[in-house]
Amino acid sequence: MRTPATMSAVVALAATASMALAACSEPVEEGTPGITDDTVTIGTHQPLSGEAAAGYASISAATSAYFAYVNANGGINGRQIEYLVKDDAYDPVDTQSAVTDLVEGEEVFAIVNGLGTPTHSSVLDYVDEEGVPDLFISSGSRVWNQPHVYPNTFGFNAEYVTEGAALAQYALDRQPDARVCVLGQADDYGDGILEGVETVLGGNEIAEVQTYLASDADITDQIGRLMAAECEVNILGTINGFTAMAIGTAAQLGWSPQWYVSSSGADYPTLVQYLGEETGPALLEGMVSVNYLPFSPDSDWVALFTQINDEYNGGAPFTANTVFGMSAGYLFAEALAAAGEEPTRESLIAAVESGELLGNGIVPLSYSDDNHAGYQTVGIATIEDGVQDYEGTTYNVNVGQVTEVEAAPVPLENAGIPQG
């Protein structure tokens, strides 16, 4: 027989169970992934190993160093930036595993500066479907600039078509009668460079076109065919390793044409590393390339990034990749600052599309709700006496039209730390 005491206990237990059930049935309010009161966690995929590592592994290290500098100076809106770097060895299969872990395992706020056209293409749809901001992709493919298809995706590099057109225009302006040829990677990278050259010269005016696979160990046949075509200007859509392979192979064949190289494969210190300190500088002398970031020796940005590299990156070799990595980091910090004191993924995208982000390039960026491309203006750089620097010619490329413009470098402000 139940006593009043036991009856009371049963009632109390039932009431407790009822309250717990009600609590379980109510939706639990969750915060923005990757955001806490004092941290912002973002991620990226990079080739830290494999054939592309020698040319690109230094990029994420430079970005990490820039974020360490920002964090040491109070962060952005009081939050520290945690940057998770996953190695994908420049292999799309590994990219998929890395990015899935970042999105589902680490629950990052955004993917930032994921590197590579074939690699990032393999996760583009996935990141979009997950609603994760996909910012400042380290590739010049035009695929990233489809805001009505991929509303959260933004490029960073100048598009390959832009670079190809600018290199061809410079060749036409300086050597109008030269036989121009193209060597490109057999994917969207090489295709974009070739398309840009064709917009300026026309397909019939290109003396020879050769391609290579990123897995190729030798391109002697391709270089031999360019040589047989008597090419005088070779425009390259190549990553650093294959730029060095092309120039080195030509030298072995006793051939010395003019080399015009896209920004992704034209980093002078990296190329010297591939070609060797004894022969590299001589082989690279006079090489023409394009860029859009501040790597001139007298740039205030370079001075700051050199200081950051020495203090937060262990004094690693300072290259154009250092500038690239820190510039991408700066742009994310600028976007995060503009996203507000309580950032959400929606406010981050709105900040990028606002048109107020400037970046730190030779001209301000111009993102908008209908333009998710990175830089559309590039400057011509040359190597002279072992120094790679802008020579003063700057081209804007818009819908296939190449126009020479004045550079308008974004000035360094507030010690390179964006303010909200």
Side-chain angles (χ1 to χ4, degrees):
M1 182 175 180
R2 293 178 178 173
T3 65
T6 59
M7 288 294 292
S8 297
V10 171
V11 170
L13 182 61
T16 301
S18 176
M19 291 172 63
L21 182 62
C24 290
S25 64
E26 293 177 0
V28 178
E29 184 176 348
E30 297 183 356
T32 298
I35 299 291
T36 70
D37 289 342
D38 51 17
T39 62
V40 176
T41 302
I42 59 177
T44 190
H45 62 89
Q46 301 284 324
L48 304 183
S49 63
E51 294 181 356
Y56 300 123
S58 59
I59 291 175
S60 56
T63 307
S64 296
Y66 171 77
F67 287 148
Y69 166 73
V70 170
N71 292 340
N73 286 276
I76 301 296
N77 288 328
R79 289 184 174 85
Q80 301 281 290
I81 300 173
E82 296 185 354
Y83 188 51
L84 307 180
V85 181
K86 298 287 186 180
D87 181 17
D88 67 2
Y90 205 64
D91 183 327
V93 174
D94 290 345
T95 306
Q96 293 169 31
S97 298
V99 172
T100 299
D101 184 42
L102 288 169
V103 172
E104 299 178 21
E106 304 289 353
E107 296 186 333
V108 295
F109 181 48
I111 300 294
V112 178
N113 204 226
L115 186 145
T117 300
T119 47
H120 201 78
S121 294
S122 73
V123 296
L124 179 62
D125 288 325
Y126 167 74
V127 176
D128 178 70
E129 289 164 3
E130 292 294 321
V132 180
D134 193 5
L135 305 184
F136 319 137
I137 300 168
S138 181
S139 156
S141 172
R142 287 189 297 180
V143 172
W144 324 135
N145 185 23
Q146 298 185 80
H148 301 298
V149 180
Y150 300 111
N152 298 328
T153 301
F154 296 81
F156 179 66
N157 301 38
E159 291 183 347
Y160 301 135
V161 173
T162 296
E163 294 198 345
L167 289 168
Q169 188 65 55
Y170 188 74
L172 184 64
D173 291 345
R174 297 304 188 277
Q175 299 170 259
D177 298 322
R179 289 175 63 81
V180 176
C181 299
V182 177
L183 171 66
Q185 192 160 288
D187 58 19
D188 193 49
Y189 177 21
D191 291 345
I193 294 294
L194 176 60
E195 182 179 342
V197 175
E198 289 176 336
T199 62
V200 173
L201 301 181
N204 293 332
E205 297 302 316
I206 302 174
E208 181 70 23
V209 176
Q210 287 292 310
T211 63
Y212 69 90
L213 298 174
S215 59
D216 286 348
D218 181 83
I219 55 171
T220 301
D221 181 65
Q222 291 92 324
I223 297 301
R225 290 176 183 273
L226 296 175
M227 184 176 176
E230 299 181 347
C231 305
E232 297 169 279
V233 171
N234 288 326
I235 297 179
L236 306 186
T238 51
I239 60 176
N240 285 305
F242 281 90
T243 302
M245 194 183 298
I247 294 173
T249 300
Q252 291 174 352
L253 296 173
W255 186 41
S256 302
Q258 180 71 53
W259 303 100
Y260 282 44
V261 189
S262 71
S263 64
S264 296
D267 180 42
Y268 179 71
T270 303
L271 294 176
V272 170
Q273 180 182 343
Y274 275 114
L275 292 167
E277 293 286 347
E278 291 187 5
T279 60
L283 294 177
L284 296 168
E285 186 71 11
M287 189 185 84
V288 174
S289 62
V290 287
N291 212 306
Y292 40 89
L293 295 174
F295 67 88
S296 296
D298 60 351
S299 164
D300 290 340
W301 288 100
V302 168
L304 172 65
F305 290 163
T306 300
Q307 173 191 333
I308 294 172
N309 191 61
D310 290 342
E311 187 169 354
Y312 296 97
N313 200 21
F318 191 92
T319 70
N321 284 340
T322 311
V323 174
F324 183 93
M326 292 193 187
S327 296
Y330 173 81
L331 183 57
F332 174 74
E334 191 180 8
L336 182 62
E341 295 187 359
E342 299 299 329
T344 64
R345 285 172 167 173
E346 291 75 19
S347 71
L348 182 66
I349 295 300
V352 181
E353 290 187 334
S354 70
E356 297 179 2
L357 302 187
L358 301 180
N360 69 328
I362 61 172
V363 296
L365 284 163
S366 56
Y367 293 119
S368 68
D369 58 357
D370 61 1
N371 178 35
H372 287 193
Y375 289 91
Q376 295 172 288
T377 297
V378 296
I380 299 295
T382 57
I383 296 173
E384 184 176 349
D385 295 329
V387 177
Q388 187 174 38
D389 199 1
Y390 291 111
E391 57 84 63
T393 304
T394 306
Y395 295 113
N396 174 263
V397 182
N398 186 20
V399 197
Q401 298 296 314
V402 183
T403 306
E404 188 167 350
V405 298
E406 290 291 328
V410 178
L412 174 67
E413 296 180 350
N414 198 49
I417 302 176
Q419 300 297 294

